Amino acid sequence: MAVNPDLETAPRRRGASRAARWLGIGLALLLAGCLVDSKNPIAPPGPDGIDPEILGTWGATGDDGPIFVHVFQPRDSVPGAVEVIAVGFEKDKSGSIDRYCGHLSRVQKHHFINLVGPVEDCGKIAGQPYFFVAYDLSLDGVLTVNLMREEAVKKAIESGKLAGEKDTTGAATAHITADSDAIRAFLLGDTGDLWERTLTLRRVKAPGQ
């Protein structure tokens, strides 16, 4: 599904990566190589990550139809837990639904989502890798989501600034193995090239709200 330029998508590349489909729809289905993933979250689930403003329904308009992202807190969940349901529509009236599970984290003033998926059962995600989403919310209900730049992470792993896997040739991969404390320290050291704007969505309000 292609997304209009006014959604501020990043440049398209070849390949497929369903793990971030809800973040970029058109972009995510075309990402080259591996999406950056991590053995550990930015931080364990906890009250520090709670952000009621991210909860709700967000939408954008793609060339093939509307895109909706529902973010909610599961019942009887740990503090900061979220589930994300992404719904995309096609021109032929077909569509797709993807489900992601995870929790929110905050590092100083910066907000992140630690996500696993797509999955069928959020109770069976133990041991699966996370991918990270950085997000910003404006006062007028605009949500901007960002994914880690693969090359920036590989460079950090190659230089030893961040623990991660290397392939059989010794080249850094996009798989982070650092513990949560080290990940947070790395995020705080970002000089501005770590994140790539992926998609901008607007809050969707129910009739009468």
Side-chain angles (χ1 to χ4, degrees):
M1 179 183 295
V3 178
N4 285 334
D6 63 348
L7 297 182
E8 300 182 356
T9 53
R12 298 177 183 175
R13 293 177 286 177
R14 296 181 180 178
S17 179
R18 291 188 69 232
R21 178 170 182 163
W22 76 273
L23 294 168
I25 309 297
L27 169 70
L29 292 176
L30 300 170
L31 280 172
C34 297
L35 181 76
V36 175
D37 63 35
S38 176
K39 177 181 178 181
N40 298 301
I42 293 171
D48 289 345
I50 293 175
D51 181 12
E53 294 302 315
I54 189 65
L55 304 179
T57 298
W58 306 88
T61 301
D63 289 339
D64 294 336
I67 303 160
F68 295 103
V69 178
H70 308 278
V71 185
F72 62 93
Q73 181 177 344
R75 293 181 180 177
D76 302 321
S77 61
V78 297
V82 292
E83 288 188 28
V84 177
I85 306 295
V87 181
F89 293 88
E90 305 291 344
K91 288 181 178 179
D92 62 2
K93 306 304 181 182
S94 64
S96 62
I97 299 176
D98 289 314
R99 181 183 188 185
Y100 302 86
C101 315
H103 63 275
L104 305 174
S105 292
R106 184 173 64 183
V107 180
Q108 293 186 357
K109 296 182 179 180
H110 305 289
H111 294 272
F112 305 93
I113 314 177
N114 308 267
L115 283 179
V116 174
V119 300
E120 294 184 1
D121 186 350
C122 288
K124 299 179 180 179
I125 64 172
Q128 294 190 41
Y130 295 90
F131 68 96
F132 302 141
V133 179
Y135 70 90
D136 293 296
L137 283 168
S138 70
L139 295 177
D140 58 349
V142 176
L143 172 66
T144 302
V145 293
N146 307 273
L147 291 175
M148 279 185 159
R149 295 182 187 273
E150 182 181 344
E151 291 306 313
V153 172
K154 286 183 175 180
K155 183 178 179 181
I157 293 173
E158 189 72 34
S159 66
K161 293 181 179 179
L162 186 68
E165 294 181 2
K166 296 184 178 181
D167 63 22
T168 55
T169 68
T173 69
H175 304 289
I176 299 170
T177 59
D179 62 27
S180 296
D181 287 344
I183 292 172
R184 291 194 297 276
F186 177 68
L187 294 176
L188 288 174
D190 176 26
T191 57
D193 63 347
L194 181 58
W195 299 94
E196 184 170 45
R197 176 173 292 182
T198 303
L199 183 64
T200 299
L201 306 103
R202 291 186 177 275
R203 188 180 292 279
V204 177
K205 295 183 179 181
Q209 286 189 325

